[in-house]
Amino acid sequence: MPTRPNENLPVNVCIMQPPGYIHSLALLEAAEYVVEKCILLGYQANLSKNRLIPQGLNIVFGAHISPSDDFKFPPNTIIFNTEQLPEINNSWINPAYKKVLDSNIVWDYSAVNLKCLAHQKKFLVNFYHVDKLNRLNLSFSKYAIAQRKLHEGFPRSGGDAGHSRRAQRHANVAALA
């Protein structure tokens, strides 16, 4: 990772979420990815909401959501930008958030975004596969196989295949039982 803290110090991946604002959970999977990558690299990493730690490293998602003009992130903070910075009319890129980006180390998913930042404290973070984040069971169940067979039983063009299609559908439905 671009910034390597002492491996004995914790890494806190924090999602900023104002009260009642559920949309910040859109950042959850990206934040979970960073936690898992830190763990794979040997760090003690956890995920938190609205909590910054005084020791270790804070990686903040959602800093663009309602930033305060007078709030300053501690010096052990990295801002993970998830907004599209080149967009001219992006309501999330307000003066307070620009100040946050200008005064902190920034990680971003987009090289295009990084070009919009004038300072050199910026790093591209690519997203790759992490086994622990698999959430879908992609193995074919009896149902999925039967569904595939059902669709394969239909001819691509007309003809007198109606009888064989009905027989195939009955066989596929029987396979589900």
Side-chain angles (χ1 to χ4, degrees), residues 1-11 37-43 56-57 59 78 105 107 123:
M1 297 213 140
T3 301
R4 190 153 179 112
N6 180 329
E7 291 184 18
N8 295 324
L9 294 177
V11 175
K37 284 305 235 181
C38 289
I39 290 170
L40 288 171
L41 289 171
Y43 296 102
L57 179 65
I59 303 170
I78 294 173
I105 297 172
W107 286 0
F123 301 91

Side-chain angles (χ1 to χ4, degrees), residues 63-64 67 79 81-82 85 92-101:
H64 64 283
I79 303 300
N81 176 57
T82 57
L85 299 180
W92 294 111
I93 312 301
N94 56 41
Y97 185 53
K98 286 180 184 177
K99 184 178 175 184
V100 167
L101 293 175

Side-chain angles (χ1 to χ4, degrees), residues 20 58 81 87 101 133 144 152:
N58 293 296
N81 176 57
E87 287 187 5
L101 293 175
L133 296 180
E152 289 172 355

Side-chain angles (χ1 to χ4, degrees), residues 15-16 45 59-60 74 79 99 109 124 126 137 144-145 154 163 175:
I15 296 178
M16 302 306 283
I59 303 170
V60 175
I79 303 300
K99 184 178 175 184
Y109 69 95
L124 180 65
N126 293 307
N137 181 358
I145 291 169
F154 288 95
H163 175 71

